[in-house]
Amino acid sequence: MFPVVRSTKSAMFKHGALALALACATGSALVATPAMAAKKEAAPPKASYSKPFIAAVIPAQKAIEAAGKRPDVAAASQAGKAAIDAYNAATTSAGRKTAEDQRLAAIATLSGLLTEEKRLLDAALAAITVPDDKLFAGQLAINLGTTAQDETMQRRGVQLMIDSGKLAPAELPKMYFYLGQFSASTKDYTSAIAAYQTAIDAGYHENGIDVSLAEAYLSSNQIPTGLAKLQAAIDQRNATGSPAPESWYRRGLQMAYKAKLYDSAATFSRNAVAVYPTPDNWEAAIGMLRITGKYQAQESLDLMRLMARTKSMNQSSDYVEYLQAADARRLPGEVLKVLDAGIASGKLTASDVFVSENRGIAQSRLAADKVAMPALERDARAAGASAVTVMAAGDVFLSYDQPAKAKEMYTLALGKPGVDTARALTRLGIAQCDLGSYAEAQATFAKITGPRQPLAQLWAIHSAQKAKSGT
């Protein structure tokens, strides 16, 4: 009854080497200039440092550079990186918990090994007087933060560089992106949102910043805003011609479902299956519609037919719902097919009372049902046939895998007074899809309005995918 969302992560983002990406992105700007006090010409062009800062920063810089080459620091750093890799590769919550514990242990070890370097850096930070001091100190904080795998320290370094006012205007949006990343990593989502938005307002849309902004809203429990931002990020990515990652859709589905925003969850699941038509995604999309549609038997029947055709019936309850909607007294042939498929899949047991009762009823009616088909077809083709008669004929032919005759019956029914137009169009589209007339099917499904429209939209997606695959 509930959609299945098989995700190995609770969020879209994994632990990663943010500092490494930052260093690569900003190039030499993050490499501290060596021995600037001893040789003034080695200082960055036009830089002007205060004397107290120079006196404090030289020992800090030397210690930090040396620490990066120490074997004990390198070993602890490698342990931290290995833990991050293990976390990203983990597929269970227990595995992620173990990896996270290992990562925190490595960081604690690094912190202990770098106590003196941190003390020296703090002394340099306390000596800041002029903007150039702030810029250089920020670079040094990022360097030590990278070695220590300390995201709080790296964030402080980025903030110092921004606050210095010495960065080139073209560099600022990117630095605000990194500030947002480090803020989010330290769970300061308010600051992350502000930083991301500043970068975006400046025209920065690289490195998935739009979805990072959405995630910051979601992580701070601002779910409706986060979902809207996430959908905007998906739309923007898709507009580039490169589809948004599947995980983005799944994150939207997860968060909307958790917040009981079922209509939004249904939209994310429908959009996901349109781009990534896996059985799991079909199961989720159809599962959401089972919740939001509040369908009766006739609508449920057509939904479960879609589930069967997309090979996404993974629960015993799926087969039970299909059997109940089809009704062994009305569509015995289809019920027998569903029973056989359920038993073959291992989701139904032949000895189960529900299964045996349905099989008994279906088998007792099968022969008479088939014998009555020619007369039913003759009555349906009569000039004065009612919509009920013609629809009944179409339903019988569709259930016995005779889509060509079913198509004829539903087409006739649409011209009869009192016909349930949405139901007739749905089943006409199904018959067309079964015949391989996928373009016709899509056009038919597009005509459906009202409560069946979301159901028709899923069928249209399936038809389009069948057309694309040529099967």
Side-chain angles (χ1 to χ4, degrees):
M1 188 61 191
F2 299 97
V4 174
V5 182
R6 294 187 175 91
S7 176
T8 59
K9 300 289 180 288
S10 61
M12 288 175 286
F13 304 104
K14 308 172 183 179
H15 285 295
L18 288 180
L20 177 60
L22 177 57
C24 292
T26 56
S28 60
L30 293 186
V31 179
T33 305
M36 62 181 180
K39 296 182 179 181
K40 292 184 179 180
E41 67 274 15
K46 299 181 181 180
S48 178
Y49 304 104
S50 67
K51 289 183 178 180
F53 177 72
I54 291 174
V57 80
I58 289 176
Q61 181 186 17
K62 289 181 177 179
I64 290 168
E65 289 177 350
K69 301 174 183 178
R70 282 164 41 191
D72 56 346
V73 172
S77 179
Q78 184 56 43
K81 292 174 182 177
I84 290 172
D85 290 341
Y87 182 95
N88 292 341
T91 58
T92 65
S93 58
R96 290 191 292 276
K97 175 66 167 57
T98 298
E100 181 66 6
D101 290 344
Q102 292 171 345
R103 184 182 77 91
L104 293 175
I107 290 173
T109 299
L110 283 167
S111 181
L113 293 172
L114 297 169
T115 300
E116 178 62 11
E117 289 76 10
K118 290 181 180 180
R119 185 190 68 78
L120 292 170
L121 176 62
D122 286 341
L125 296 179
I128 290 173
T129 305
V130 298
D132 280 317
D133 294 350
K134 194 172 290 187
L135 177 65
F136 194 87
Q139 297 171 345
L140 207 57
I142 290 173
N143 289 345
L144 181 56
T146 301
T147 300
Q149 297 181 17
D150 185 334
E151 292 170 332
T152 299
M153 186 181 297
Q154 294 170 75
R155 173 188 173 182
R156 186 178 184 185
V158 173
Q159 186 70 66
L160 282 167
M161 292 179 71
I162 291 172
D163 292 345
S164 74
K166 303 294 287 187
L167 289 171
E171 286 289 302
L172 272 173
K174 179 168 56 181
M175 295 303 288
Y176 272 108
F177 163 71
Y178 288 119
L179 180 62
Q181 291 288 76
F182 287 125
S183 297
S185 293
T186 54
K187 301 189 186 305
D188 182 356
Y189 299 114
T190 299
S191 296
I193 289 168
Y196 288 140
Q197 194 62 61
T198 298
I200 290 170
D201 290 344
Y204 187 88
H205 291 284
E206 299 174 28
N207 293 310
I209 188 173
D210 297 278
V211 80
S212 294
L213 175 62
E215 178 62 21
Y217 276 110
L218 292 173
S219 296
S220 61
N221 206 35
Q222 300 180 66
I223 307 303
T225 301
L227 293 175
K229 295 290 186 182
L230 179 55
Q231 186 59 59
I234 289 172
D235 292 342
Q236 183 181 59
R237 173 65 69 86
N238 289 343
T240 67
S242 177
E246 184 178 2
S247 61
W248 295 10
Y249 295 99
R250 284 180 167 265
R251 179 61 166 163
L253 170 56
Q254 278 184 324
M255 296 305 294
Y257 182 76
K258 184 178 179 180
K260 299 183 179 179
L261 299 172
Y262 296 133
D263 288 339
S264 182
T267 298
F268 276 103
S269 63
R270 182 176 65 247
N271 292 343
V273 83
V275 184
Y276 299 100
T278 64
D280 283 351
N281 285 344
W282 272 113
E283 183 181 11
I286 292 171
M288 281 311 311
L289 193 50
R290 289 158 83 177
I291 293 172
T292 59
K294 297 181 173 62
Y295 288 143
Q296 300 300 311
Q298 290 300 311
E299 292 82 9
S300 180
L301 173 59
D302 293 333
L303 187 59
M304 301 315 294
R305 284 168 166 166
L306 176 61
M307 201 172 203
R309 284 163 173 78
T310 56
K311 297 179 173 57
S312 56
M313 298 179 69
N314 294 317
Q315 311 295 326
S316 59
S317 58
D318 299 333
Y319 290 93
V320 170
E321 184 171 339
Y322 195 164
L323 291 166
Q324 290 174 332
D327 191 339
R329 297 164 299 180
R330 293 180 57 254
L331 302 174
E334 190 164 357
V335 163
L336 288 172
K337 285 189 301 181
V338 175
L339 286 169
D340 290 341
I343 292 170
S345 70
K347 302 300 187 236
L348 296 179
T349 303
S351 60
D352 182 84
V353 174
F354 174 81
V355 172
S356 61
E357 285 183 350
N358 271 271
R359 185 176 292 281
I361 294 170
Q363 287 177 333
S364 69
R365 293 177 179 268
L366 186 65
D369 203 44
K370 289 184 175 181
V371 168
M373 287 173 68
L376 179 59
E377 180 182 1
R378 184 174 60 252
D379 292 344
R381 293 185 185 277
S386 68
V388 172
T389 299
V390 182
M391 283 294 296
D395 289 347
V396 168
F397 287 123
L398 188 64
S399 74
Y400 281 110
D401 298 322
Q402 297 185 42
K405 285 190 175 182
K407 175 184 173 181
E408 290 184 68
M409 295 298 106
Y410 294 130
T411 302
L412 285 173
L414 286 166
K416 300 291 184 179
V419 69
D420 183 336
T421 302
R423 185 193 300 182
L425 284 171
T426 303
R427 292 179 183 172
L428 172 60
I430 295 172
Q432 291 167 332
C433 190
D434 286 351
L435 285 167
S437 302
Y438 302 123
E440 286 184 23
Q442 291 174 70
T444 297
F445 291 129
K447 297 175 183 177
I448 299 171
T449 59
R452 276 182 172 264
Q453 187 177 54
L455 167 59
Q457 289 171 337
L458 286 182
W459 268 104
I461 290 170
H462 173 62
S463 300
Q465 290 167 352
K466 294 286 284 183
K468 185 177 181 179
S469 67
T471 59

